[in-house]
Amino acid sequence: MSEPLFEVRDVVKRYEKEGREITVLDKVNLSIGLGDFVVIVGATGSGKTTLINILSGLDKPDSGKVYFEGEDMTRMSEEELADLRRENMGFVFQHFNLIPEFTALENVESPLYPTKLSDREIRTRALKVLELVGMTHRVNHYPDELSGGEKQKIAIARALITNPVVIFADEPTAALDPQSEKEVIWLLREINRKRRTTIILATHNRALASSTDKVFELKNGKLVRVSGGRT
């Protein structure tokens, strides 16, 4: 059996709030394989974003270990973690985080600068992922000229341009109408199926979890497997 992409062991994370110590993650254990589609459900404030930040090396646990491809992330320097993210990870956020002064095409290209790639190579790659998400007709439009669903598709294309091993999607449909939500989830599933990109999706919306996913619930600091998800 191949080594997991991520291995989380007894991770604990605490925060101070109004003079009280709150345990957001309480001895969390999680194994994620290459090509998995993982859904983490939980109420707002349950710690989903904290868990994603720890998995991506944006934050470190107070105790416990996080391994990526067998390497202990908790022992890495900030520079090593930044390199790890740049080379292996893509991010999709609830509020898109597009640069308003950039066109859709320029937003998608932005993660590749600075780079050794030529401008022509960057443009070719950007157009290719824009085609993948069905947004080639919007390449020269600015974010304020796009609908919420279109912005999120551009954000997904931006996440894809570095050919990441894993995409973190933190509440990617919370700001979308029901039809756009369906389109974005379908697109993420297609990327997972066709490219074997690992998807880790955090959401408060249980309806987004299906029997074909690895589904976990985060509640009171504990992460538990939800019945019906595949191993």
Side-chain angles (χ1 to χ4, degrees), residues 184-197:
V184 165
I185 293 302
W186 178 85
L187 181 56
L188 289 172
R189 292 188 188 282
E190 284 295 288
I191 290 165
N192 170 251
R193 184 177 66 85
K194 292 181 178 179
R195 297 169 67 104
R196 215 173 166 233
T197 304

Side-chain angles (χ1 to χ4, degrees), residues 60 68 188:
K60 289 194 175 184
F68 178 81
L188 289 172

Side-chain angles (χ1 to χ4, degrees), residues 42-97:
T44 300
S46 61
K48 302 184 301 296
T49 296
T50 299
L51 180 54
I52 281 181
N53 287 346
I54 287 174
L55 285 168
S56 60
L58 289 167
D59 198 358
K60 289 194 175 184
D62 294 319
S63 63
K65 295 289 186 180
V66 181
Y67 296 90
F68 178 81
E69 295 184 333
E71 295 293 324
D72 186 355
M73 294 176 64
T74 61
R75 299 177 66 89
M76 293 181 182
S77 67
E78 292 303 319
E79 184 178 354
E80 288 171 328
L81 288 168
D83 288 341
L84 183 71
R85 283 190 294 273
R86 183 170 56 251
E87 294 168 8
N88 297 280
M89 301 175 182
F91 297 85
V92 179
F93 305 96
Q94 176 179 343
H95 296 296
F96 323 122
N97 290 9

Side-chain angles (χ1 to χ4, degrees), residues 80-223:
E80 288 171 328
L81 288 168
D83 288 341
L84 183 71
R85 283 190 294 273
R86 183 170 56 251
E87 294 168 8
N88 297 280
M89 301 175 182
F91 297 85
V92 179
F93 305 96
Q94 176 179 343
H95 296 296
F96 323 122
N97 290 9
L98 299 178
I99 301 169
E101 298 82 11
F102 284 11
T103 64
L105 181 59
E106 291 166 340
N107 266 284
V108 173
E109 292 174 334
S110 62
L112 293 181
Y113 290 103
T115 182
K116 294 179 181 178
L117 297 174
S118 68
D119 289 347
R120 183 174 180 178
E121 288 175 296
I122 292 171
R123 181 59 48 89
T124 298
R125 285 175 68 164
L127 290 172
K128 188 173 181 179
V129 292
L130 281 163
E131 182 178 8
L132 179 66
V133 303
M135 291 298 293
T136 52
H137 63 299
R138 293 295 203 187
V139 292
N140 294 318
H141 288 71
Y142 291 90
D144 64 1
E145 299 173 320
L146 304 173
S147 69
E150 289 172 334
K151 289 177 186 176
Q152 199 59 293
K153 289 176 184 178
I154 297 299
I156 292 170
R158 180 183 59 190
L160 281 172
I161 197 168
T162 58
N163 296 318
V165 176
V166 56
I167 288 178
F168 294 100
D170 191 2
E171 295 281 10
T173 65
L176 304 182
D177 62 82
Q179 181 57 38
S180 296
E181 177 183 274
K182 290 178 183 178
E183 292 174 3
V184 165
I185 293 302
W186 178 85
L187 181 56
L188 289 172
R189 292 188 188 282
E190 284 295 288
I191 290 165
N192 170 251
R193 184 177 66 85
K194 292 181 178 179
R195 297 169 67 104
R196 215 173 166 233
T197 304
T198 302
I199 307 290
I200 302 175
L201 187 153
T203 180
H204 67 276
N205 186 351
R206 287 178 170 273
L208 298 186
S210 75
S211 60
T212 58
D213 300 318
K214 278 187 172 180
V215 185
F216 298 85
E217 182 176 12
L218 191 55
K219 187 176 182 180
N220 297 324
K222 299 291 188 181
L223 186 72

Side-chain angles (χ1 to χ4, degrees), residues 1-7 9 31-36 67-72 165 196 198 214:
M1 191 171 179
S2 61
E3 190 173 69
L5 183 65
F6 285 99
E7 189 75 28
R9 299 179 187 170
S31 182
I32 300 173
L34 181 66
D36 279 351
Y67 296 90
F68 178 81
E69 295 184 333
E71 295 293 324
D72 186 355
V165 176
R196 215 173 166 233
T198 302
K214 278 187 172 180

